[in-house]
Amino acid sequence: MFHNVPDRNKLVLQYPASWWRNLWREALPAGNGELGAAVYGSIKKETILINHSQLWHMGVKGELPDVSHTLTETRALMKEGEFQKANWHLTNEIKKQGYYSKLACPLPLVDFQLEMPCDKGFSHYRRGINMETGEVRVTWSERDTTFTRDLFVSRSDNLIVYQVSSNKANAIDAVLNFSLHPTNSPNMKERHNELADTVELYTDDNYLFYKVTNEDDTEFGAVARVIAEDGEVITDQGKLRCAKVDSLLVLIKVFVQSSSSLQWPVLKDELANVTVTYQQLLDNHVQIYQPLYFSSTLQLTDDQEEWSNEVLLLDTYSGEEATARLYEKLWSFGRYLFISGTKVGGQPFSMYGLWHGDYHLMWSHRMANENIQMMYWHTSVGGLSEFNLAFMDYYQSLMDDFRDNAKKLFGCRGIYIPAGTTPGIGKPNQLVPVIMNWTAAAGWLAQHFYQYYQFNRDEEYLKQKALPFMKEIADFYQDFLKVRADGYYQYYPSVSPENTPVNFMPESSEPVAHPMPTAVNATMDFAVMKELLTNLIEGSLIVSMYQQERPVWQKMLEKIPPYQVNQDGTIKEWMSHQFEDNHEHRHLSHIYPIFPGRELVKEKEGQLFEAFRRAVQQRKLGAQTSWSFAHMASIYARLQDAESAHTCLEHLSRSCLLNNFYTVHNDWRNMGLTMEVDYAPVQMDANLGIVNAIQEMLIYVSPTMVKLLPALPDDWKSGKVDTFHFCTGTISFRWDLLKGTFSTVLKAEHETTITLGLPSCLKYEWEGDGKISTSELGKSYYQIQLSAQQSLRFFSK
């Protein structure tokens, strides 16, 4: 399937989507960043689920009461040791005031359905994705007749393009129609019925029309144009019937938040004016798509053989040595999902991408205590940093809500960002202590704001967007924190997402979610604050802003207490003797200074670095999830522990990959690797976390240092990377462990001064521009200075 496409750039499946009553979970996705299509891959009755990034429902934004008095009361309870009461104090008070907000949910737009006879049975079934073009294909044979269906979502023309073809003339009989997407959630039956009552279907010549009314009285819908080669097309009660057709071309456009009376004629005219072929439409699309997909490339194998998803999963499950080809494909697939699921000027990437298949899916909002950050970790190194603009614009659109939160919840200036948000709703909505008492979301998100500047050197963006956002977070910290008698800050209430100290865990053997997360001086809270203030001071110096505030921020930095180590040599998760570490948890928040932060590196912080390593090693296997395996793999890569990073990816692959390579939150089969819960929602944070973990294993990047192959597994014996990015340029490299060869080329896009770390087992020569000197860090480290547009090549002797 997809001849002449390298195996790493395609998915091939031998089996159809099979998750009973929820085939969308194993569908094959396509998208243009705004419009998504999920192809189920059925032969007789095919379904294409169509979604739009701006279509949401059921959200409620409440008016937040002023409960800022509770902060003093909560702290008084904590001083008295009444931590259980303190844990619930803010949450109970806001509930008592009658406050209610509800996160919105993404709303499925429509199912496009195509039914064909299947009277002779089938063979040679395949379905797959050509990630080089964004095409989804389903193909099969019925005796000597072969049928093929191809689909892509055009980035150039903003429409879905669907082609049905055969190797025989007049072989295609089909019925085409739009249908309201079903629900399999009992809680959504009433809502589904409300939508069903407003559905209107209409046909006119070779056009299908569909519309539904949302709860805000706006409408959403679609128009399809069906172009048949030979044969005939007739209308039949809201459907189009095609008989003895050589091929079908279906063009679909959609609308949201409008009205059918306005949109139906406009979309019909736009579709009528499409006069080009499937291939011409595809050519226009790939001119925009391919520079994104190929912004960076990775190759771990040379084998040209085609491997299906099913075979790769079975080999990984049995421990066979096929993992390198699986991981290069997972890296490509994660990037494919990301590029297809978001765009500059659109909505940020969501936990279900653009392929949500029900009306109220678990964790379908933007969650900022791990998940949305993970989905963007890979972007800068992978050459996709421009996509961060949608992420940042989204949070900046909610600033008025965030300011109101800080004032009314805590009596502070600046901003408080609740962990969960959805478009237009930045008020608190998850009314539980583990969320309400956690105040580090804004600081953690600011890492992405500042990193965008570090990789793009856009000083106007730094002045207008990043620094003002970061200053409001610093204002909150300045008002929120208290100084102890020893001159250090006391951070309370303080939450280490989403963990509870072990000495506050209930004795019951039954699992309890977040029994008492509200503590004092969580290590992560201070690590995030330290990073925020350090970047704010540095950035304000670069563009000469905030001269008066800068000394205040410097003094705040000096009041952050040093990290603390337990008696067993592990870093403490809470920097207070009152709270004992709990290792049976999926979050690794206290490792922030290693990853996702860059405060500590192995070469300069040996003893403290080892304390963080030991803390990671203490985490229990059965408490993990797909995203925590991806997170842990990235941490182990930063620790330069290749085999442990690789093991995390193996655990993830054996427990949380569906056959279409969607990641699910946990292993629903209770095989012992993850949390044992009776649901397994699709969660694409791990899909993107895998991309980052693989990149971290191949390259470490900070503003001052680049290390190549810091955590290379033994079975990734050879490979090549083209155009990974560091803060001021790009880098490509090749390695072959069996031949003992390595080479790399650096190209500076801006003035560059970095330490370059190369694999230590080889000796190197170099050629090209710039200044090179040895580093005090060791023989495989070099100090490099390059001017913009200069390049430098290192190669093994």
Side-chain angles (χ1 to χ4, degrees):
M1 181 178 272
F2 306 124
H3 301 299
N4 301 320
V5 176
D7 189 53
R8 73 186 66 87
N9 290 331
K10 61 184 176 184
L11 299 190
V12 177
L13 294 92
Q14 299 172 283
Y15 207 68
S18 304
W19 195 292
W20 184 66
R21 296 179 68 86
N22 285 276
L23 296 184
W24 65 269
R25 291 170 61 102
E26 295 180 338
L28 295 183
N32 65 2
E34 180 177 77
L35 182 60
V39 180
Y40 290 13
S42 304
I43 290 176
K44 179 177 173 58
K45 190 171 184 178
E46 175 66 293
T47 297
I48 300 167
L49 166 64
I50 298 173
N51 290 322
H52 193 284
S53 65
Q54 301 285 357
L55 185 58
W56 295 70
H57 70 147
M58 300 195 302
V60 177
K61 184 161 99 171
E63 180 61 36
L64 192 65
D66 189 340
V67 292
S68 57
H69 60 90
T70 61
L71 180 58
T72 300
E73 297 161 359
T74 297
R75 288 173 168 169
L77 289 168
M78 297 179 84
K79 288 178 181 179
E80 296 168 4
E82 296 284 352
F83 290 105
Q84 289 287 2
K85 291 182 179 179
N87 182 49
W88 279 97
H89 189 62
L90 169 61
T91 300
N92 284 341
E93 180 63 23
I94 200 170
K95 287 181 177 179
K96 188 166 63 177
Q97 295 276 354
Y99 172 76
Y100 176 76
S101 271
K102 182 181 177 183
L103 291 166
C105 299
L107 172 59
L109 195 151
V110 68
D111 283 351
F112 179 77
Q113 295 182 324
L114 177 146
E115 187 168 358
M116 295 172 61
C118 185
D119 300 328
K120 303 172 184 176
F122 65 89
S123 63
H124 300 95
Y125 176 87
R126 288 289 190 277
R127 61 188 181 118
I129 304 174
N130 179 351
M131 293 185 286
E132 291 191 356
T133 62
E135 291 173 282
V136 174
R137 173 170 291 179
V138 179
T139 184
W140 73 97
S141 296
E142 297 180 18
R143 296 184 181 175
D144 60 347
T145 305
T146 298
F147 296 93
T148 302
R149 299 173 183 154
D150 291 303
L151 176 144
F152 68 94
V153 185
S154 173
R155 295 189 89 94
S156 56
D157 296 286
N158 196 31
L159 79 165
I160 296 170
V161 184
Y162 187 43
Q163 178 176 262
V164 184
S165 58
S166 171
N167 67 336
K168 295 287 186 69
N170 308 123
I172 298 171
D173 296 325
V175 179
L176 303 92
N177 65 280
F178 285 124
S179 177
L180 181 69
H181 185 75
T183 180
N184 290 299
S185 170
N187 295 332
M188 286 293 103
K189 294 295 185 184
E190 183 176 349
R191 174 63 181 140
H192 187 267
N193 290 339
E194 291 174 356
L195 293 166
D197 288 341
T198 69
V199 169
E200 288 188 19
L201 297 167
Y202 173 66
T203 56
D204 180 21
D205 292 333
N206 285 17
Y207 290 85
L208 291 166
F209 299 85
Y210 170 88
K211 77 91 174 173
V212 184
T213 303
N214 205 352
E215 60 195 356
D216 61 357
D217 292 327
T218 65
E219 294 177 350
F220 60 91
V223 179
R225 178 188 175 195
V226 178
I227 305 169
E229 183 179 348
D230 292 333
E232 63 176 346
V233 180
I234 61 173
T235 62
D236 182 7
Q237 297 181 341
K239 301 180 180 181
L240 292 177
R241 294 186 177 274
C242 306
K244 299 187 182 305
V245 172
D246 284 354
S247 67
L248 283 174
L249 179 63
V250 183
L251 308 175
I252 303 172
K253 281 183 169 273
V254 308
F255 67 92
V256 298
Q257 299 174 341
S258 186
S259 69
S260 57
S261 61
L262 291 174
Q263 294 293 330
W264 277 358
V266 170
L267 298 184
K268 181 183 179 183
D269 286 346
E270 291 176 358
L271 292 173
N273 289 326
V274 177
T275 59
V276 292
T277 65
Y278 176 95
Q279 187 60 49
Q280 290 169 320
L281 288 165
L282 181 64
D283 291 343
N284 295 338
H285 161 72
V286 298
Q287 288 181 21
I288 302 172
Y289 169 78
Q290 286 192 339
L292 300 171
Y293 182 75
F294 288 116
S295 60
S296 295
T297 63
L298 165 66
Q299 180 176 337
L300 296 175
T301 64
D302 291 319
D303 192 348
Q304 298 302 307
E305 184 179 354
E306 182 176 279
W307 288 67
S308 72
N309 285 22
E310 293 90 348
V311 170
L312 288 172
L313 289 171
L314 286 171
D315 283 353
T316 303
Y317 203 78
S318 62
E320 297 295 328
E321 294 296 324
T323 55
R325 71 177 68 253
L326 172 65
Y327 296 134
E328 68 177 0
K329 188 170 289 196
L330 287 174
W331 182 83
S332 297
F333 182 56
R335 285 168 54 86
Y336 168 80
L337 287 174
F338 184 77
I339 293 165
S340 302
T342 185
K343 69 172 189 176
V344 177
Q347 286 288 312
F349 195 85
S350 294
M351 296 282 266
Y352 293 83
L354 290 174
W355 308 287
H356 44 277
D358 214 324
Y359 292 78
H360 187 198
L361 289 165
M362 182 174 289
W363 304 318
S364 59
H365 50 274
R366 278 72 192 259
M367 194 67 176
N369 70 354
E370 168 82 19
N371 313 92
I372 196 168
Q373 290 94 332
M374 172 174 283
M375 294 189 290
Y376 280 81
W377 285 336
H378 67 97
T379 55
S380 296
V381 168
L384 299 173
S385 63
E386 66 185 87
F387 284 85
N388 286 277
L389 293 171
F391 169 98
M392 296 179 294
D393 287 347
Y394 168 78
Y395 281 102
Q396 290 191 311
S397 73
L398 299 171
M399 289 294 282
D400 287 343
D401 283 356
F402 299 155
R403 295 183 186 108
D404 194 53
N405 297 341
K407 179 181 178 182
K408 292 180 178 177
L409 292 177
F410 302 106
C412 297
R413 294 173 300 145
I415 60 174
Y416 164 83
I417 299 181
T421 60
T422 50
I425 303 177
K427 296 291 184 71
N429 40 72
Q430 298 160 290
L431 302 185
V432 288
V434 71
I435 300 298
M436 294 297 298
N437 296 333
W438 184 59
T439 55
W444 191 352
L445 292 167
Q447 181 192 73
H448 295 260
F449 281 68
Y450 195 67
Q451 186 169 293
Y452 178 80
Y453 163 73
Q454 289 175 318
F455 276 80
N456 292 274
R457 303 289 154 167
D458 183 345
E459 292 190 5
E460 193 63 25
Y461 162 83
L462 184 64
K463 289 191 293 185
Q464 299 297 326
K465 297 290 183 71
L467 290 178
F469 179 80
M470 296 163 68
K471 178 185 179 297
E472 296 212 47
I473 304 167
D475 290 343
F476 178 86
Y477 283 136
Q478 189 176 355
D479 291 356
F480 181 78
L481 272 74
K482 297 295 182 182
V483 180
R484 303 184 311 207
D486 61 3
Y488 287 122
Y489 276 129
Q490 179 96 321
Y491 198 128
Y492 69 127
S494 182
V495 172
S496 187
E498 297 171 3
N499 205 357
T500 289
V502 72
N503 55 317
F504 285 89
M505 290 293 291
E507 296 181 1
S508 170
S509 61
E510 294 296 320
V512 180
H514 325 307
M516 211 300 290
T518 305
V520 177
N521 286 7
T523 295
M524 181 195 191
D525 277 336
F526 280 128
V528 169
M529 179 185 174
K530 185 185 295 187
E531 177 185 72
L532 181 281
L533 292 172
T534 301
N535 290 340
L536 189 50
I537 292 169
E538 178 186 85
S540 64
L541 280 167
I542 291 170
V543 294
S544 300
M545 290 176 65
Y546 304 135
Q547 286 90 343
Q548 294 182 345
E549 291 87 349
R550 210 177 297 137
V552 175
W553 298 333
Q554 185 60 50
K555 290 180 180 179
M556 291 173 68
L557 268 177
E558 295 166 2
K559 294 175 186 176
I560 295 177
Y563 302 124
Q564 298 180 22
V565 179
N566 290 306
Q567 290 184 348
D568 62 0
T570 61
I571 206 73
K572 286 183 66 66
E573 188 161 352
W574 296 273
M575 295 158 58
S576 170
H577 69 280
Q578 297 169 289
F579 307 100
E580 299 175 15
D581 284 3
N582 180 9
H583 300 303
E584 293 195 28
H585 205 264
R586 60 203 174 278
H587 278 265
L588 291 146
S589 308
H590 55 314
I591 315 299
Y592 193 98
I594 302 289
F595 178 84
R598 292 176 172 83
E599 180 184 346
L600 304 175
V601 292
K602 181 179 181 180
E603 291 81 358
K604 298 180 181 180
E605 299 286 349
Q607 186 173 356
L608 190 57
F609 202 79
E610 181 61 25
F612 280 94
R613 177 196 300 276
R614 291 186 178 185
V616 178
Q617 293 171 335
Q618 292 295 319
R619 277 309 200 242
K620 304 299 182 184
L621 184 61
Q624 302 312 308
T625 63
S626 60
W627 61 257
S628 72
F629 280 135
H631 190 143
M632 196 180 296
S634 293
I635 291 173
Y636 276 123
R638 291 278 177 94
L639 295 170
Q640 297 182 206
D641 185 341
E643 294 314 309
S644 294
H646 191 252
T647 297
C648 289
L649 294 182
E650 286 183 330
H651 288 333
L652 195 166
S653 301
R654 292 171 186 163
S655 61
C656 297
L657 277 186
L658 299 182
N659 68 354
N660 60 350
F661 285 170
Y662 283 0
T663 50
V664 293
H665 178 266
N666 55 273
D667 191 344
W668 66 103
R669 302 162 301 183
N670 294 332
M671 296 294 287
L673 295 177
T674 72
M675 298 173 64
E676 295 184 1
V677 289
D678 60 358
Y679 48 82
V682 170
Q683 301 282 263
M684 292 182 181
D685 48 5
N687 279 115
L688 281 306
I690 292 169
V691 176
N692 183 74
I694 291 170
Q695 291 176 182
E696 294 280 356
M697 294 161 79
L698 298 175
I699 185 170
Y700 168 81
V701 173
S702 79
T704 59
M705 180 180 285
V706 174
K707 293 187 285 187
L708 299 181
L709 306 186
L712 185 72
D714 289 341
D715 66 343
W716 297 5
K717 299 185 186 302
S718 65
K720 60 181 180 180
V721 165
D722 281 323
T723 325
F724 274 4
H725 292 245
F726 58 96
C727 291
T728 53
T730 64
I731 189 164
S732 301
F733 47 98
R734 311 278 190 276
W735 71 95
D736 190 321
L737 299 181
L738 297 178
K739 296 179 180 179
T741 60
F742 179 87
S743 65
T744 183
V745 176
L746 294 85
K747 296 180 180 179
E749 296 174 348
H750 306 276
E751 193 78 20
T752 295
T753 300
I754 58 168
T755 300
L756 176 66
L758 300 176
S760 60
C761 56
L762 300 171
K763 295 181 179 181
Y764 298 96
E765 297 179 354
W766 55 84
E767 60 187 13
D769 307 314
K771 297 179 181 179
I772 303 107
S773 60
T774 57
S775 168
E776 62 183 15
L777 297 179
K779 65 178 183 179
S780 60
Y781 293 84
Y782 300 88
Q783 293 298 121
I784 294 174
Q785 290 181 285
L786 295 171
S787 298
Q789 309 310 315
Q790 287 187 326
S791 63
L792 181 64
R793 177 175 177 258
F794 281 82
F795 52 95
S796 58
K797 292 183 179 180

